[in-house]
Amino acid sequence: MHSPTRVRALLLGAGTAIAGLLLTTLSSTSSHAVDEDCRPDGLYQTPGVDVPYCSVYDTAGREKMGADHQRRVIGYFTGWRTGKNGEPAYLASDLPWDKITHINYAFAHIGSDHKLSVGTDSANNPATGMTWPGVAGAEMDPGYAYKGHFNLLNKFKKQHPDVKTLVSVGGWAETGGYFGDDGKRVSSGGFYAMATNADGSVNQAGIDTFADSAVTFIKKYGFNGVDIDYEYPTTMKDAGHPLDWPFANARRAGLVKGYAALMKTLREKLDRAGAQDGRHYLLTVAAPSSGYLLRGMETFQVQKYLDYVNIMSYDLHGAWNEYVGPNASLFDDGKDAELAAGGVYSTSQYGGIGYLNTDWAYHYFRGSMPAGRINIGLPYYTRGFKNVTGGTDGLWGKAPSTTCPAGSGLTKCGDGAVGIDNLWHDKDDNGKESPAGSNPMWHAKNLEKGVVGDYVTQYGFPSDTTLTGTYARKYDSTLVAPWLWNAEKKVFLSTEDEQSVAAKADYVVDQGIGGTMIWELAGDYDYNAAKGQYEMGDTLTTTMYEKFKSASPYGAKRSTIELPTEALDIDVSFGQFPLGDSNYPISPKLKITNNSTTTLPGGTEFQFDYGTSAPNNAKDQSGFGTTIIRSDHTGNNVGGLKGVYHRASLKLPGWQSLAPGASVELDFVYYLPVSTPSNWTVTLSGRTYALAGDLARGTTIGQPGTGSPSPSPSDTGTGSPSPSPSQPGGTCAPAAWTATTEYGGGTVVSHKSHTWKAKWWTKGEEPGTTGEWGVWQDLGAC
């Protein structure tokens, strides 16, 4: 994302990702009822802190954004379009303040001291020191001690108090380093060094330093929260910016743990600061949508710490490889050439599911989060190729090249469009144009219209520049993807316009999604009739605003079935993932830890949901009998996944009880990435409980045998749960043991206020006297 991103697609055998987060238990610390009522479903609350959720959320746990904003419209606003370099400026005064809900300022970075920074204060610092004399709307507010973009953002927030601002940290170019005041890149390690030590262990000291500085920073400059754009904490080798590989590759085994520790620490420090200030501070991330990257991020175990996640559901195809396809299609069409080449459509384990599209990425995160805590990304820029062969008007054709940008780390790549077809290009390590077909959407609209805008001279083109060939607009309604095709030049430019944005907005409304995230607002367009050309504007943003302003409230509940309100203190985690390319099929360890005070007997059933981003063929290889008891989607995903979850059931083997404090592990297997499985239940003594670690709204921690019975979750497909042999906390249900009775293996008896199960035939051996390896297994008190 965010300034050219190189996203790798997953190939057969390269695998996919599922992974493990140790679910934390609900804090038993009481908080004001009104604040707990406003806590979003599944959001972690720092123990002992009364977080003022109601300053941001309503009593249904939905974000308050103004009467005409039922869904989020989050726009990235970059600090480098200042106009000082001769190119068109895009300032805070140009933002469509009445059409958006959040602004992410891009970017702050992590300094060599591990602290959040935007560089040294000076008159040349765009964030805090620069001014724009004579530019209407860019007059500084004298009430602030700083100038620059931050001054203007706060000036306009006074006029639009419902709009929230966040400082975004990192980005493609500044994840593993930063640009110093002299404009040269400092390879400091950035996120990689701050969160993870060279030996792969968590760098908690660096994390604490950064988190403390982030709290200080947002208070000083009036931000509502922090957005983390870490590209990327994945175990996949050579992911992220090539200049970062010396730091990242050496730490791959520990990046996911470091990321989780970073998010937990940020959440807790922001919660404490918010409690002191009487306002809830937001914590969000820009998350990848690439199956390759997500496979190496395990089950993206940080979602519980986030107010919401912004999916970078773009850069799905581009000149990092030869496969010509849409930048940000909404759906799969079953014809993606890159996926077909990797055998994804033809390999049965994948279920025919194509995963390089927005809908797949949404369902990946929906597996662990309510729809309303997810926002899909839209690009206001193009990606494109030249010298395209094959395909239909270039779509699903090829454009191979062996001349790759210096510093890209690639020896084979795609033949990216250049020149007038690459207005917003970056430069490679030798200062040359990086071929990518990157243009603001307003320039793409002019190409479509056959117009050379008067701005081209500001980008180094002569005033007499002419266009070659015709840029014909094409549209695929299955993909929901427009593009421009120049048949004479064999140039393919993937675009967005009113039709595709309207369709994506309808999708957001229909799915109950929280909203959209835009990279970046300066790419939007309006038509200047007087000049006969498209220029910077807000046409696409207005299209979303109009769709969202009267929409129904977004989906605030994670589960699609009614879950029990009483929860047991049982932890479930997925961990010990093989690293990188070794993680296929996806094979973590599923660990169940009983933190309650009662032994879980053999046969205890657990149920959980996992997202339909993976097919319904998850299984275990440890005798726990994992079965899929309900599937919301089967078959391929052409035109979109039809449902949210697969619901799975597993049971402790008959011989495997789980005493208080004990854990058990089983080998688990998935075939496409999913985020952390959720909506867990456990059935014990005929009563079904939630699990505390799910952090569901309205649940309280209880103990087995207390309160009135809860029904099992509806629509599980399993019928009535099997009764447990004991009734902890009450009288002993099984018959009392006698010395003269013969007992077969599996028989359950009661003796001295405990229940016991015979492992094999026995007679005359008293329960409690045969030892750990003897015939009688203690199932706990009754």
Side-chain angles (χ1 to χ4, degrees), residues 441-483:
M441 222 54 78
W442 41 267
H443 179 59
K445 292 294 290 185
N446 283 329
L447 293 178
E448 178 186 344
K449 194 175 177 65
V451 169
V452 177
D454 62 7
Y455 50 80
V456 298
T457 57
Q458 295 174 279
Y459 290 91
F461 293 93
S463 57
D464 61 351
T465 297
T466 58
L467 300 179
T468 300
T470 300
Y471 295 83
R473 179 187 181 271
K474 306 294 180 178
Y475 189 84
D476 189 291
S477 58
T478 301
L479 293 168
V480 183
W483 70 95

mmCIF file of all heavy atoms in Angstrom, residues 441-483:
data_model
loop_
_atom_site.group_PDB
_atom_site.id
_atom_site.type_symbol
_atom_site.label_atom_id
_atom_site.label_comp_id
_atom_site.label_asym_id
_atom_site.label_seq_id
_atom_site.Cartn_x
_atom_site.Cartn_y
_atom_site.Cartn_z
ATOM 1 N N MET A 441 -6.587 9.582 -9.930
ATOM 2 C CA MET A 441 -7.743 9.251 -10.757
ATOM 3 C C MET A 441 -8.149 10.411 -11.656
ATOM 4 O O MET A 441 -8.712 10.199 -12.743
ATOM 5 C CB MET A 441 -8.891 8.812 -9.855
ATOM 6 C CG MET A 441 -9.655 7.627 -10.379
ATOM 7 S SD MET A 441 -8.638 6.163 -10.761
ATOM 8 C CE MET A 441 -8.346 5.497 -9.144
ATOM 9 N N TRP A 442 -7.856 11.658 -11.245
ATOM 10 C CA TRP A 442 -8.200 12.789 -12.115
ATOM 11 C C TRP A 442 -7.371 12.780 -13.395
ATOM 12 O O TRP A 442 -7.866 13.191 -14.443
ATOM 13 C CB TRP A 442 -8.087 14.121 -11.378
ATOM 14 C CG TRP A 442 -6.921 14.311 -10.457
ATOM 15 C CD1 TRP A 442 -6.891 14.050 -9.116
ATOM 16 C CD2 TRP A 442 -5.623 14.824 -10.781
ATOM 17 N NE1 TRP A 442 -5.657 14.360 -8.580
ATOM 18 C CE2 TRP A 442 -4.861 14.850 -9.584
ATOM 19 C CE3 TRP A 442 -5.031 15.268 -11.964
ATOM 20 C CZ2 TRP A 442 -3.540 15.290 -9.542
ATOM 21 C CZ3 TRP A 442 -3.716 15.723 -11.923
ATOM 22 C CH2 TRP A 442 -2.980 15.733 -10.726
ATOM 23 N N HIS A 443 -6.153 12.319 -13.316
ATOM 24 C CA HIS A 443 -5.351 12.219 -14.545
ATOM 25 C C HIS A 443 -5.866 11.077 -15.424
ATOM 26 O O HIS A 443 -5.937 11.208 -16.656
ATOM 27 C CB HIS A 443 -3.880 12.006 -14.196
ATOM 28 C CG HIS A 443 -2.996 11.871 -15.396
ATOM 29 N ND1 HIS A 443 -2.883 12.843 -16.359
ATOM 30 C CD2 HIS A 443 -2.179 10.843 -15.807
ATOM 31 C CE1 HIS A 443 -2.030 12.459 -17.293
ATOM 32 N NE2 HIS A 443 -1.597 11.239 -16.992
ATOM 33 N N ALA A 444 -6.248 9.974 -14.793
ATOM 34 C CA ALA A 444 -6.796 8.848 -15.558
ATOM 35 C C ALA A 444 -8.076 9.258 -16.288
ATOM 36 O O ALA A 444 -8.314 8.846 -17.433
ATOM 37 C CB ALA A 444 -7.058 7.662 -14.637
ATOM 38 N N LYS A 445 -8.894 10.084 -15.648
ATOM 39 C CA LYS A 445 -10.123 10.548 -16.304
ATOM 40 C C LYS A 445 -9.792 11.424 -17.515
ATOM 41 O O LYS A 445 -10.494 11.367 -18.539
ATOM 42 C CB LYS A 445 -10.990 11.326 -15.316
ATOM 43 C CG LYS A 445 -11.584 10.477 -14.201
ATOM 44 C CD LYS A 445 -12.582 9.450 -14.713
ATOM 45 C CE LYS A 445 -13.864 10.082 -15.198
ATOM 46 N NZ LYS A 445 -14.870 9.043 -15.581
ATOM 47 N N ASN A 446 -8.736 12.207 -17.418
ATOM 48 C CA ASN A 446 -8.333 13.007 -18.581
ATOM 49 C C ASN A 446 -7.806 12.138 -19.711
ATOM 50 O O ASN A 446 -8.068 12.403 -20.898
ATOM 51 C CB ASN A 446 -7.290 14.048 -18.167
ATOM 52 C CG ASN A 446 -7.919 15.227 -17.443
ATOM 53 O OD1 ASN A 446 -9.067 15.584 -17.711
ATOM 54 N ND2 ASN A 446 -7.187 15.824 -16.513
ATOM 55 N N LEU A 447 -7.042 11.080 -19.360
ATOM 56 C CA LEU A 447 -6.598 10.147 -20.395
ATOM 57 C C LEU A 447 -7.799 9.524 -21.095
ATOM 58 O O LEU A 447 -7.831 9.400 -22.332
ATOM 59 C CB LEU A 447 -5.716 9.057 -19.775
ATOM 60 C CG LEU A 447 -4.359 9.489 -19.212
ATOM 61 C CD1 LEU A 447 -3.641 8.289 -18.579
ATOM 62 C CD2 LEU A 447 -3.479 10.123 -20.292
ATOM 63 N N GLU A 448 -8.793 9.137 -20.315
ATOM 64 C CA GLU A 448 -10.012 8.554 -20.888
ATOM 65 C C GLU A 448 -10.703 9.539 -21.829
ATOM 66 O O GLU A 448 -11.247 9.157 -22.869
ATOM 67 C CB GLU A 448 -10.957 8.154 -19.749
ATOM 68 C CG GLU A 448 -12.279 7.581 -20.182
ATOM 69 C CD GLU A 448 -13.221 7.336 -19.005
ATOM 70 O OE1 GLU A 448 -12.754 7.329 -17.836
ATOM 71 O OE2 GLU A 448 -14.429 7.166 -19.255
ATOM 72 N N LYS A 449 -10.659 10.818 -21.459
ATOM 73 C CA LYS A 449 -11.316 11.855 -22.253
ATOM 74 C C LYS A 449 -10.454 12.309 -23.435
ATOM 75 O O LYS A 449 -10.907 13.062 -24.306
ATOM 76 C CB LYS A 449 -11.634 13.047 -21.344
ATOM 77 C CG LYS A 449 -12.602 14.065 -21.907
ATOM 78 C CD LYS A 449 -12.931 15.119 -20.857
ATOM 79 C CE LYS A 449 -13.852 16.202 -21.427
ATOM 80 N NZ LYS A 449 -15.176 15.639 -21.777
ATOM 81 N N GLY A 450 -9.185 11.846 -23.447
ATOM 82 C CA GLY A 450 -8.286 12.252 -24.521
ATOM 83 C C GLY A 450 -7.711 13.641 -24.322
ATOM 84 O O GLY A 450 -7.344 14.305 -25.297
ATOM 85 N N VAL A 451 -7.619 14.076 -23.064
ATOM 86 C CA VAL A 451 -7.186 15.426 -22.735
ATOM 87 C C VAL A 451 -5.824 15.386 -22.059
ATOM 88 O O VAL A 451 -5.570 14.556 -21.190
ATOM 89 C CB VAL A 451 -8.216 16.107 -21.794
ATOM 90 C CG1 VAL A 451 -7.663 17.406 -21.228
ATOM 91 C CG2 VAL A 451 -9.514 16.350 -22.547
ATOM 92 N N VAL A 452 -4.943 16.294 -22.470
ATOM 93 C CA VAL A 452 -3.674 16.497 -21.764
ATOM 94 C C VAL A 452 -3.876 17.695 -20.837
ATOM 95 O O VAL A 452 -3.986 18.840 -21.298
ATOM 96 C CB VAL A 452 -2.513 16.761 -22.737
ATOM 97 C CG1 VAL A 452 -1.225 17.034 -21.963
ATOM 98 C CG2 VAL A 452 -2.334 15.580 -23.673
ATOM 99 N N GLY A 453 -3.970 17.450 -19.551
ATOM 100 C CA GLY A 453 -4.240 18.520 -18.605
ATOM 101 C C GLY A 453 -3.116 19.539 -18.546
ATOM 102 O O GLY A 453 -1.946 19.218 -18.793
ATOM 103 N N ASP A 454 -3.487 20.776 -18.177
ATOM 104 C CA ASP A 454 -2.472 21.826 -18.125
ATOM 105 C C ASP A 454 -1.482 21.638 -16.986
ATOM 106 O O ASP A 454 -0.460 22.330 -16.920
ATOM 107 C CB ASP A 454 -3.130 23.205 -18.029
ATOM 108 C CG ASP A 454 -3.970 23.390 -16.769
ATOM 109 O OD1 ASP A 454 -3.955 22.493 -15.885
ATOM 110 O OD2 ASP A 454 -4.647 24.435 -16.662
ATOM 111 N N TYR A 455 -1.739 20.691 -16.117
ATOM 112 C CA TYR A 455 -0.855 20.412 -14.979
ATOM 113 C C TYR A 455 0.368 19.580 -15.368
ATOM 114 O O TYR A 455 1.280 19.407 -14.572
ATOM 115 C CB TYR A 455 -1.631 19.654 -13.892
ATOM 116 C CG TYR A 455 -2.374 18.451 -14.435
ATOM 117 C CD1 TYR A 455 -1.724 17.236 -14.676
ATOM 118 C CD2 TYR A 455 -3.726 18.537 -14.750
ATOM 119 C CE1 TYR A 455 -2.389 16.150 -15.209
ATOM 120 C CE2 TYR A 455 -4.410 17.445 -15.280
ATOM 121 C CZ TYR A 455 -3.738 16.264 -15.510
ATOM 122 O OH TYR A 455 -4.391 15.189 -16.057
ATOM 123 N N VAL A 456 0.381 19.021 -16.573
ATOM 124 C CA VAL A 456 1.455 18.082 -16.907
ATOM 125 C C VAL A 456 2.832 18.738 -16.857
ATOM 126 O O VAL A 456 3.838 18.077 -16.584
ATOM 127 C CB VAL A 456 1.231 17.400 -18.276
ATOM 128 C CG1 VAL A 456 -0.056 16.585 -18.264
ATOM 129 C CG2 VAL A 456 1.255 18.396 -19.421
ATOM 130 N N THR A 457 2.878 20.054 -17.129
ATOM 131 C CA THR A 457 4.183 20.730 -17.061
ATOM 132 C C THR A 457 4.739 20.723 -15.641
ATOM 133 O O THR A 457 5.959 20.761 -15.460
ATOM 134 C CB THR A 457 4.047 22.173 -17.568
ATOM 135 O OG1 THR A 457 3.055 22.860 -16.798
ATOM 136 C CG2 THR A 457 3.655 22.189 -19.042
ATOM 137 N N GLN A 458 3.850 20.677 -14.639
ATOM 138 C CA GLN A 458 4.294 20.627 -13.243
ATOM 139 C C GLN A 458 4.920 19.274 -12.896
ATOM 140 O O GLN A 458 5.590 19.153 -11.873
ATOM 141 C CB GLN A 458 3.118 20.918 -12.302
ATOM 142 C CG GLN A 458 2.561 22.322 -12.443
ATOM 143 C CD GLN A 458 1.320 22.523 -11.604
ATOM 144 O OE1 GLN A 458 0.223 22.134 -12.002
ATOM 145 N NE2 GLN A 458 1.479 23.122 -10.446
ATOM 146 N N TYR A 459 4.686 18.294 -13.760
ATOM 147 C CA TYR A 459 5.255 16.959 -13.553
ATOM 148 C C TYR A 459 6.387 16.674 -14.538
ATOM 149 O O TYR A 459 6.802 15.528 -14.701
ATOM 150 C CB TYR A 459 4.172 15.896 -13.673
ATOM 151 C CG TYR A 459 3.186 15.915 -12.521
ATOM 152 C CD1 TYR A 459 2.025 16.678 -12.600
ATOM 153 C CD2 TYR A 459 3.430 15.194 -11.352
ATOM 154 C CE1 TYR A 459 1.119 16.710 -11.545
ATOM 155 C CE2 TYR A 459 2.532 15.224 -10.302
ATOM 156 C CZ TYR A 459 1.379 15.985 -10.398
ATOM 157 O OH TYR A 459 0.494 16.013 -9.346
ATOM 158 N N GLY A 460 6.874 17.713 -15.205
ATOM 159 C CA GLY A 460 8.038 17.559 -16.057
ATOM 160 C C GLY A 460 7.769 17.253 -17.507
ATOM 161 O O GLY A 460 8.706 16.957 -18.262
ATOM 162 N N PHE A 461 6.497 17.322 -17.941
ATOM 163 C CA PHE A 461 6.180 17.062 -19.338
ATOM 164 C C PHE A 461 6.089 18.397 -20.096
ATOM 165 O O PHE A 461 5.637 19.401 -19.542
ATOM 166 C CB PHE A 461 4.850 16.315 -19.474
ATOM 167 C CG PHE A 461 4.876 14.909 -18.930
ATOM 168 C CD1 PHE A 461 4.495 14.642 -17.623
ATOM 169 C CD2 PHE A 461 5.307 13.866 -19.727
ATOM 170 C CE1 PHE A 461 4.535 13.354 -17.121
ATOM 171 C CE2 PHE A 461 5.349 12.567 -19.236
ATOM 172 C CZ PHE A 461 4.961 12.309 -17.921
ATOM 173 N N PRO A 462 6.483 18.420 -21.350
ATOM 174 C CA PRO A 462 6.383 19.670 -22.126
ATOM 175 C C PRO A 462 4.932 20.057 -22.380
ATOM 176 O O PRO A 462 4.032 19.211 -22.385
ATOM 177 C CB PRO A 462 7.112 19.335 -23.440
ATOM 178 C CG PRO A 462 7.101 17.852 -23.536
ATOM 179 C CD PRO A 462 7.125 17.337 -22.134
ATOM 180 N N SER A 463 4.707 21.321 -22.602
ATOM 181 C CA SER A 463 3.342 21.832 -22.767
ATOM 182 C C SER A 463 2.683 21.317 -24.044
ATOM 183 O O SER A 463 1.450 21.335 -24.144
ATOM 184 C CB SER A 463 3.361 23.362 -22.783
ATOM 185 O OG SER A 463 4.210 23.850 -23.817
ATOM 186 N N ASP A 464 3.490 20.885 -25.021
ATOM 187 C CA ASP A 464 2.917 20.382 -26.276
ATOM 188 C C ASP A 464 2.782 18.856 -26.278
ATOM 189 O O ASP A 464 2.684 18.233 -27.349
ATOM 190 C CB ASP A 464 3.756 20.841 -27.464
ATOM 191 C CG ASP A 464 5.199 20.327 -27.396
ATOM 192 O OD1 ASP A 464 5.588 19.768 -26.354
ATOM 193 O OD2 ASP A 464 5.929 20.502 -28.400
ATOM 194 N N THR A 465 2.754 18.247 -25.089
ATOM 195 C CA THR A 465 2.594 16.798 -24.992
ATOM 196 C C THR A 465 1.293 16.355 -25.651
ATOM 197 O O THR A 465 0.241 16.985 -25.469
ATOM 198 C CB THR A 465 2.602 16.359 -23.509
ATOM 199 O OG1 THR A 465 3.873 16.679 -22.944
ATOM 200 C CG2 THR A 465 2.358 14.859 -23.378
ATOM 201 N N THR A 466 1.362 15.289 -26.418
ATOM 202 C CA THR A 466 0.157 14.719 -27.037
ATOM 203 C C THR A 466 0.020 13.256 -26.616
ATOM 204 O O THR A 466 0.972 12.621 -26.168
ATOM 205 C CB THR A 466 0.228 14.798 -28.571
ATOM 206 O OG1 THR A 466 1.399 14.096 -29.023
ATOM 207 C CG2 THR A 466 0.291 16.242 -29.027
ATOM 208 N N LEU A 467 -1.188 12.747 -26.757
ATOM 209 C CA LEU A 467 -1.464 11.361 -26.389
ATOM 210 C C LEU A 467 -1.417 10.472 -27.623
ATOM 211 O O LEU A 467 -1.792 10.890 -28.723
ATOM 212 C CB LEU A 467 -2.838 11.244 -25.735
ATOM 213 C CG LEU A 467 -3.055 12.058 -24.455
ATOM 214 C CD1 LEU A 467 -4.477 11.843 -23.940
ATOM 215 C CD2 LEU A 467 -2.044 11.686 -23.387
ATOM 216 N N THR A 468 -0.960 9.256 -27.423
ATOM 217 C CA THR A 468 -0.942 8.256 -28.485
ATOM 218 C C THR A 468 -2.063 7.252 -28.230
ATOM 219 O O THR A 468 -2.184 6.717 -27.122
ATOM 220 C CB THR A 468 0.405 7.518 -28.518
ATOM 221 O OG1 THR A 468 1.450 8.455 -28.762
ATOM 222 C CG2 THR A 468 0.406 6.445 -29.595
ATOM 223 N N GLY A 469 -2.858 7.006 -29.237
ATOM 224 C CA GLY A 469 -3.914 6.014 -29.087
ATOM 225 C C GLY A 469 -5.088 6.529 -28.261
ATOM 226 O O GLY A 469 -5.115 7.672 -27.785
ATOM 227 N N THR A 470 -6.065 5.663 -28.079
ATOM 228 C CA THR A 470 -7.288 5.984 -27.344
ATOM 229 C C THR A 470 -7.364 5.134 -26.081
ATOM 230 O O THR A 470 -7.142 3.915 -26.130
ATOM 231 C CB THR A 470 -8.529 5.716 -28.216
ATOM 232 O OG1 THR A 470 -8.462 6.530 -29.383
ATOM 233 C CG2 THR A 470 -9.807 6.009 -27.451
ATOM 234 N N TYR A 471 -7.689 5.781 -24.978
ATOM 235 C CA TYR A 471 -7.840 5.086 -23.702
ATOM 236 C C TYR A 471 -9.326 4.765 -23.498
ATOM 237 O O TYR A 471 -10.106 5.592 -23.026
ATOM 238 C CB TYR A 471 -7.327 5.944 -22.554
ATOM 239 C CG TYR A 471 -5.830 6.218 -22.612
ATOM 240 C CD1 TYR A 471 -5.319 7.244 -23.402
ATOM 241 C CD2 TYR A 471 -4.941 5.448 -21.873
ATOM 242 C CE1 TYR A 471 -3.960 7.500 -23.466
ATOM 243 C CE2 TYR A 471 -3.565 5.688 -21.923
ATOM 244 C CZ TYR A 471 -3.092 6.717 -22.723
ATOM 245 O OH TYR A 471 -1.738 6.964 -22.777
ATOM 246 N N ALA A 472 -9.701 3.584 -23.920
ATOM 247 C CA ALA A 472 -11.111 3.179 -23.866
ATOM 248 C C ALA A 472 -11.451 2.625 -22.491
ATOM 249 O O ALA A 472 -10.727 1.764 -21.968
ATOM 250 C CB ALA A 472 -11.396 2.138 -24.940
ATOM 251 N N ARG A 473 -12.521 3.111 -21.912
ATOM 252 C CA ARG A 473 -12.949 2.603 -20.602
ATOM 253 C C ARG A 473 -13.617 1.246 -20.760
ATOM 254 O O ARG A 473 -14.488 1.064 -21.607
ATOM 255 C CB ARG A 473 -13.927 3.566 -19.933
ATOM 256 C CG ARG A 473 -14.419 3.054 -18.569
ATOM 257 C CD ARG A 473 -15.521 3.942 -18.014
ATOM 258 N NE ARG A 473 -15.985 3.488 -16.705
ATOM 259 C CZ ARG A 473 -16.971 2.610 -16.499
ATOM 260 N NH1 ARG A 473 -17.593 2.084 -17.560
ATOM 261 N NH2 ARG A 473 -17.337 2.250 -15.274
ATOM 262 N N LYS A 474 -13.200 0.297 -19.929
ATOM 263 C CA LYS A 474 -13.793 -1.033 -19.882
ATOM 264 C C LYS A 474 -14.300 -1.279 -18.468
ATOM 265 O O LYS A 474 -13.838 -0.661 -17.509
ATOM 266 C CB LYS A 474 -12.766 -2.094 -20.283
ATOM 267 C CG LYS A 474 -12.090 -1.863 -21.619
ATOM 268 C CD LYS A 474 -13.065 -1.960 -22.789
ATOM 269 C CE LYS A 474 -12.355 -1.715 -24.116
ATOM 270 N NZ LYS A 474 -13.294 -1.853 -25.263
ATOM 271 N N TYR A 475 -15.247 -2.182 -18.346
ATOM 272 C CA TYR A 475 -15.811 -2.461 -17.014
ATOM 273 C C TYR A 475 -16.242 -3.906 -16.935
ATOM 274 O O TYR A 475 -16.885 -4.422 -17.858
ATOM 275 C CB TYR A 475 -17.005 -1.549 -16.727
ATOM 276 C CG TYR A 475 -17.520 -1.623 -15.300
ATOM 277 C CD1 TYR A 475 -16.919 -0.863 -14.300
ATOM 278 C CD2 TYR A 475 -18.602 -2.431 -14.967
ATOM 279 C CE1 TYR A 475 -17.389 -0.907 -12.991
ATOM 280 C CE2 TYR A 475 -19.078 -2.479 -13.664
ATOM 281 C CZ TYR A 475 -18.467 -1.726 -12.674
ATOM 282 O OH TYR A 475 -18.930 -1.774 -11.375
ATOM 283 N N ASP A 476 -15.872 -4.586 -15.843
ATOM 284 C CA ASP A 476 -16.312 -5.953 -15.607
ATOM 285 C C ASP A 476 -17.226 -5.957 -14.392
ATOM 286 O O ASP A 476 -16.795 -5.665 -13.274
ATOM 287 C CB ASP A 476 -15.110 -6.870 -15.373
ATOM 288 C CG ASP A 476 -15.509 -8.335 -15.331
ATOM 289 O OD1 ASP A 476 -16.180 -8.725 -14.353
ATOM 290 O OD2 ASP A 476 -15.132 -9.093 -16.243
ATOM 291 N N SER A 477 -18.498 -6.280 -14.614
ATOM 292 C CA SER A 477 -19.479 -6.196 -13.530
ATOM 293 C C SER A 477 -19.330 -7.320 -12.515
ATOM 294 O O SER A 477 -19.755 -7.167 -11.366
ATOM 295 C CB SER A 477 -20.899 -6.197 -14.106
ATOM 296 O OG SER A 477 -21.116 -7.361 -14.888
ATOM 297 N N THR A 478 -18.761 -8.456 -12.913
ATOM 298 C CA THR A 478 -18.519 -9.524 -11.944
ATOM 299 C C THR A 478 -17.408 -9.119 -10.973
ATOM 300 O O THR A 478 -17.546 -9.266 -9.757
ATOM 301 C CB THR A 478 -18.141 -10.835 -12.642
ATOM 302 O OG1 THR A 478 -19.206 -11.222 -13.514
ATOM 303 C CG2 THR A 478 -17.886 -11.942 -11.624
ATOM 304 N N LEU A 479 -16.335 -8.596 -11.516
ATOM 305 C CA LEU A 479 -15.225 -8.146 -10.676
ATOM 306 C C LEU A 479 -15.559 -6.847 -9.942
ATOM 307 O O LEU A 479 -15.006 -6.570 -8.879
ATOM 308 C CB LEU A 479 -13.988 -7.899 -11.537
ATOM 309 C CG LEU A 479 -13.336 -9.108 -12.201
ATOM 310 C CD1 LEU A 479 -12.330 -8.652 -13.246
ATOM 311 C CD2 LEU A 479 -12.659 -9.998 -11.161
ATOM 312 N N VAL A 480 -16.445 -6.052 -10.495
ATOM 313 C CA VAL A 480 -16.669 -4.650 -10.113
ATOM 314 C C VAL A 480 -15.335 -3.914 -10.241
ATOM 315 O O VAL A 480 -14.712 -3.485 -9.275
ATOM 316 C CB VAL A 480 -17.252 -4.504 -8.694
ATOM 317 C CG1 VAL A 480 -17.546 -3.039 -8.377
ATOM 318 C CG2 VAL A 480 -18.520 -5.351 -8.540
ATOM 319 N N ALA A 481 -14.888 -3.818 -11.495
ATOM 320 C CA ALA A 481 -13.585 -3.234 -11.765
ATOM 321 C C ALA A 481 -13.583 -2.546 -13.129
ATOM 322 O O ALA A 481 -13.821 -3.194 -14.150
ATOM 323 C CB ALA A 481 -12.500 -4.311 -11.737
ATOM 324 N N PRO A 482 -13.312 -1.235 -13.167
ATOM 325 C CA PRO A 482 -13.102 -0.545 -14.436
ATOM 326 C C PRO A 482 -11.623 -0.483 -14.777
ATOM 327 O O PRO A 482 -10.762 -0.618 -13.899
ATOM 328 C CB PRO A 482 -13.650 0.858 -14.146
ATOM 329 C CG PRO A 482 -13.406 1.057 -12.680
ATOM 330 C CD PRO A 482 -13.392 -0.305 -12.030
ATOM 331 N N TRP A 483 -11.317 -0.287 -16.044
ATOM 332 C CA TRP A 483 -9.937 -0.054 -16.447
ATOM 333 C C TRP A 483 -9.926 0.679 -17.782
ATOM 334 O O TRP A 483 -10.944 0.760 -18.477
ATOM 335 C CB TRP A 483 -9.143 -1.353 -16.533
ATOM 336 C CG TRP A 483 -9.473 -2.300 -17.653
ATOM 337 C CD1 TRP A 483 -8.854 -2.390 -18.864
ATOM 338 C CD2 TRP A 483 -10.502 -3.309 -17.675
ATOM 339 N NE1 TRP A 483 -9.410 -3.386 -19.636
ATOM 340 C CE2 TRP A 483 -10.419 -3.970 -18.929
ATOM 341 C CE3 TRP A 483 -11.475 -3.706 -16.762
ATOM 342 C CZ2 TRP A 483 -11.291 -5.005 -19.277
ATOM 343 C CZ3 TRP A 483 -12.345 -4.734 -17.100
ATOM 344 C CH2 TRP A 483 -12.235 -5.376 -18.351
#
